[in-house]
Amino acid sequence: MRLQRGRMQKDPYHQFDAWYREYREVATHDPTSMILATADAGGKPSTRVVLLKGYSPEGFLFYSNLGSRKGNDLAANPRAALLFHWPEKERQIRVSGPVSDLDREQVLEYFHSRPRGSQLAAAISKQSRPVPSLHQLVEEHHHMRSKLEGQEVPLPDDWGGWLLKPEEVEFWQAGADRLHDRILYTPEGAGWKLDRLYP
Ligand SMILES: Cc1cc2nc3c(=O)[nH]c(=O)nc-3n(C[C@H](O)[C@H](O)[C@H](O)COP(=O)(O)O)c2cc1C
């Protein structure tokens, strides 16, 4: 079915929610995976896959190491873009906007909801910096597991999360003859303006 502005939800949160629920039914890989694009202080861009850990009318949540490349980028330039590519539905969603740090309590709660092996991995990771060998990585994980036997894994100081507040959200759906549907949401007053874009 073609996308029609008049049949779309009035805000991007509800439209994302509707598409996400449809996609979850047919996804052949983790439906929460998304591309996160950041840029450093000099404007040099980089991308990577991260997992969407929540969404609400406030924005999109993700977690990572604060000292990683993305962490440094976001500290220097707190804006980012997300891309969801859902080929099984011939759809993509682009989101961009300012990013803010999550408070430590929210990060702590999410950290302890993760599998213990992942918590231990975060505790030893100096993410995105060189590690001398695979052997050292596995040894450090093993050592941390023994050291913290029977104890809660403390939240590493360099582990955190962000909320991306959408400023632009575009819903794209493939159409015949490359007459694809593109509907762009941008803020207008207290609500959102919807524009159809040429494909
Ligand atoms: C499916 C998938 C999910 C991932 N999820 C996360 C995630 O939620 N958080 C994270 O920090 N890295 C995640 N990664 C690893 C990142 O893609 C990336 O390698 C890492 O965070 C370092 O990125 P950076 O050096 O650009 O900061 C994931 C990778 C894949 C392939």
Side-chain angles (χ1 to χ4, degrees), residues 2-198:
R2 299 302 303 243
L3 289 188
Q4 306 220 358
R5 255 191 302 179
R7 294 221 197 101
M8 308 272 299
Q9 299 289 331
K10 295 212 163 15
D11 65 76
Y13 161 70
H14 284 102
Q15 188 60 44
F16 180 87
D17 187 49
W19 273 25
Y20 177 70
R21 286 167 190 276
E22 286 176 29
Y23 182 54
R24 258 192 339 200
E25 301 303 316
V26 298
T28 54
H29 68 286
D30 186 340
T32 67
S33 66
M34 60 186 185
I35 311 285
L36 165 70
T38 58
D40 69 13
K44 188 174 172 190
S46 61
T47 57
R48 78 287 292 154
V49 178
V50 295
L51 299 180
L52 175 66
K53 289 295 174 184
Y55 61 92
S56 72
E58 307 309 314
F60 296 81
L61 293 178
F62 54 93
Y63 293 85
S64 189
N65 181 290
L66 300 171
S68 63
R69 180 169 181 176
K70 72 183 95 49
N72 286 324
D73 283 4
L74 292 172
N77 177 11
R79 303 190 65 81
L82 303 175
L83 176 71
F84 300 86
H85 177 210
W86 293 339
E88 298 90 333
K89 297 289 286 181
E90 298 190 279
R91 286 174 171 172
Q92 70 172 336
I93 306 173
R94 298 162 77 184
V95 182
S96 61
V99 164
S100 54
D101 294 346
L102 299 183
D103 61 48
R104 295 310 283 167
E105 265 153 52
Q106 192 172 355
V107 173
L108 182 69
E109 190 180 312
Y110 171 66
F111 184 75
H112 285 134
S113 76
R114 303 174 80 213
R116 190 170 174 84
S118 307
Q119 294 181 39
L120 291 166
I124 58 134
S125 179
K126 303 168 193 72
Q127 197 182 63
S128 307
R129 277 142 281 177
V131 55
S133 65
L134 173 60
H135 177 75
Q136 174 158 337
L137 182 66
V138 174
E139 276 298 303
E140 284 184 21
H141 194 249
H142 192 71
H143 177 70
M144 190 61 86
R145 188 184 294 277
S146 315
K147 190 174 141 193
L148 295 178
E149 182 82 58
Q151 297 171 45
E152 194 170 72
V153 182
L155 171 66
D157 289 341
D158 62 357
W159 207 81
W162 295 266
L163 173 76
L164 187 153
K165 183 175 155 44
E167 240 173 30
E168 279 191 347
V169 185
E170 183 195 316
F171 294 85
W172 184 104
Q173 181 175 281
D177 296 328
R178 300 199 181 261
L179 292 178
H180 311 305
D181 294 319
R182 296 178 64 190
I183 306 289
L184 176 66
Y185 287 71
T186 45
E188 185 178 61
W192 293 84
K193 176 163 80 88
L194 280 70
D195 289 301
R196 174 177 288 275
L197 306 179
Y198 278 103

